[in-house]
């Protein structure tokens, strides 16, 4: 099956190094596309929860795939998030087609797009980082427990379900937090004359038009690769929210095995900065 050429792809909240990360599915998706620009919008490697004893081969293959994109001409822009905030000391580093930044502004067909992770709006991270880290650990355990439940459900012929989504959708404060996050990001974008604002962080894929008395913009969120398995794609002047499709994207799984033979020199690329930080933090 032929790979799709895409002008711009945005993925975020992969959380490599955690139990909830759906690395195999992400690899299938990445193997299905040929992006001209790939934006990694934060929380790609979960340095907060990194463990030397848990970094499976598919997780490493995701890193190798990203390096492969850069080596073959794709512009790869890594925007730091809160779970990989240790990399912010290297902000504005550029090596070849790889760039590490804290935020980004691009012009897309005459319109301005503002990219950032979104943790700046999270008071728990700004004022009580230990609480945010504890919440991250709890979320990872919830996802692990949910995977076990879904394994049982599939075994007895029932449909999978998401515990965290059910909790978010049923708790008014969680719903309000998501709505407030989207509105604040969009309001700031309108105030600064941006046509698009693109975030991650809240694991809530979204595309919606925002309007207030000062103007309008499109708010976009790339979701995550733990539960929603989503990305954003911009091509032919249009944005699209892409959901992982098992049937069509698993057909690219064969090329994942071919990636075993990738001749990648990690020490010669910015990935070495990431791995060094992981080892120091563990």
């Amino acid at each position: 099956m032929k790979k799709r050429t895409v002008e711009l792809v945005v993925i975020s909240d992969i959380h490599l190094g955690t139990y909830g990360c759906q690395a195999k599915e992400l690899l299938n998706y990445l193997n299905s596309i040929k992006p001209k620009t790939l934006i990694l919008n934060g929380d790609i490697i979960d340095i907060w929860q990194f463990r030397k004893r848990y970094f499976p081969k598919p997780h490493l293959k995701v890193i190798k795939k990203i390096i492969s994109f850069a080596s073959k001409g794709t512009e790869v822009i890594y925007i730091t998030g809160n779970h990989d905030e240790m990399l912010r000391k290297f902000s504005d580093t550029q090596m070849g087609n790889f760039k590490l930044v804290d935020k980004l502004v691009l012009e897309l067909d005459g319109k301005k797009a503002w990219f950032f992770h979104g943790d700046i709006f999270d008071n728990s991270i700004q004022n009580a980082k230990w609480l945010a880290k504890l919440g991250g650990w709890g979320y990872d355990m919830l996802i692990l427990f949910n995977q076990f439940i879904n394994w049982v459900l599939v075994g007895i012929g029932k449909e999978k379900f998401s515990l965290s989504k059910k909790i978010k959708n049923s708790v008014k404060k969680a719903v309000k937090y998501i709505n407030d996050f989207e509105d604040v990001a969009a309001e700031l974008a309108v105030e600064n004359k941006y046509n698009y604002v693109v975030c991650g962080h809240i694991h809530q894929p979204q595309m919606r038009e925002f309007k207030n008395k000062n103007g309008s913009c499109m708010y976009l969120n790339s979701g995550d690769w733990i539960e929603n398995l989503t990305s954003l794609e911009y091509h032919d002047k249009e944005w699209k929210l892409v959901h992982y499709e098992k049937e069509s994207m698993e057909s690219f799984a064969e090329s994942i095995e071919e990636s075993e033979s990738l001749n990648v020199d990690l020490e010669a690329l910015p990935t070495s900065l990431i791995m060094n930080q992981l080892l120091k933090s563990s």
Side-chain angles (χ1 to χ4, degrees):
M1 192 176 290
K2 188 176 180 181
K3 296 185 180 184
R4 293 182 297 111
T5 298
V6 187
E7 290 177 35
L8 175 67
V9 173
V10 185
I11 56 177
S12 68
D13 300 275
I14 301 172
H15 293 275
L16 293 169
T18 65
Y19 296 116
C21 172
Q22 303 295 312
K24 290 181 181 178
E25 288 78 2
L26 176 57
L27 279 165
N28 293 343
Y29 169 68
L30 292 176
N31 280 316
S32 74
I33 56 173
K34 290 176 64 177
K36 294 181 180 177
T37 301
L38 174 63
I39 295 177
L40 308 170
N41 201 359
D43 288 0
I44 305 305
I45 297 181
D46 199 320
I47 297 178
W48 278 9
Q49 300 182 73
F50 176 73
R51 311 166 187 85
K52 288 181 183 178
R53 66 182 181 276
Y54 187 79
F55 205 84
K57 189 178 290 185
H59 294 218
L60 184 58
K61 285 182 181 179
V62 169
I63 296 176
K64 287 185 175 181
K65 183 63 183 179
I66 292 168
I67 295 170
S68 175
F69 275 139
S71 67
K72 293 177 181 177
T74 295
E75 182 181 21
V76 177
I77 304 171
Y78 192 134
I79 301 173
T80 54
N82 50 299
H83 283 253
D84 42 26
E85 65 180 351
M86 290 183 184
L87 299 178
R88 286 176 176 163
K89 66 181 73 174
F90 303 111
S91 290
D92 300 320
T93 295
Q94 182 165 2
M95 295 179 69
N97 290 320
F98 182 98
K99 184 187 296 183
L100 184 70
V101 297
D102 294 332
K103 57 184 179 297
L104 176 71
V105 176
L106 292 179
E107 186 169 306
L108 303 174
D109 297 304
K111 295 183 178 181
K112 290 171 70 179
W114 184 28
F115 301 82
F116 61 95
H117 182 64
D119 55 295
I120 190 68
F121 300 140
D122 197 327
N123 287 330
S124 67
I125 291 170
Q126 302 304 318
N127 301 320
K129 192 171 290 184
W130 67 270
L131 185 61
K133 289 185 177 182
L134 181 62
W137 178 84
Y139 178 71
D140 201 29
M141 291 301 101
L142 177 64
I143 294 298
L144 190 61
F145 179 58
N146 201 168
Q147 287 175 351
F148 171 73
I149 291 175
N150 284 334
W151 177 77
V152 173
L153 288 173
V154 170
I156 60 176
K158 301 287 186 179
E159 287 189 4
K160 294 180 180 181
F161 80 102
S162 169
L163 277 172
S164 68
K165 281 185 183 179
K166 191 171 181 63
I167 292 168
K168 285 178 186 175
N169 293 335
S170 61
V171 179
K172 288 183 179 179
K173 283 188 177 180
V175 174
K176 185 178 185 302
Y177 169 75
I178 290 168
N179 290 337
D180 288 349
F181 177 96
E182 294 178 356
D183 288 346
V184 169
E187 284 169 5
L188 282 172
V190 170
E191 185 180 322
N192 289 281
K193 310 298 182 187
Y194 296 118
N195 303 101
Y196 309 115
V197 57
V198 188
C199 303
H201 186 57
I202 58 173
H203 296 205
Q204 191 76 13
Q206 183 63 276
M207 278 181 59
R208 71 177 176 96
E209 192 74 23
F210 173 87
K211 291 183 180 180
N212 63 14
K213 63 181 180 180
N214 298 315
S216 65
C217 76
M218 181 175 281
Y219 166 85
L220 303 109
N221 195 299
S222 47
D224 65 276
W225 284 88
I226 293 178
E227 293 182 273
N228 294 294
L229 311 190
T230 51
S231 70
L232 289 165
E233 295 182 359
Y234 179 82
H235 194 72
D236 289 338
K237 301 183 181 181
E238 287 187 1
W239 283 99
K240 182 168 67 171
L241 183 60
V242 178
H243 292 260
Y244 180 77
E245 296 178 4
K246 183 176 180 180
E247 292 76 15
S248 61
M249 293 179 184
E250 274 196 348
S251 62
F252 291 90
E254 226 175 56
S255 57
I256 295 175
E257 298 308 317
E258 293 169 8
S259 69
E260 298 263 14
S261 61
L262 273 176
N263 185 18
V264 177
D265 182 3
L266 292 176
E267 294 301 320
L269 290 159
T271 314
S272 61
L273 300 178
I274 297 171
M275 300 312 292
N276 286 337
Q277 286 304 304
L278 290 176
L279 294 173
K280 287 178 183 177
S281 64
S282 58

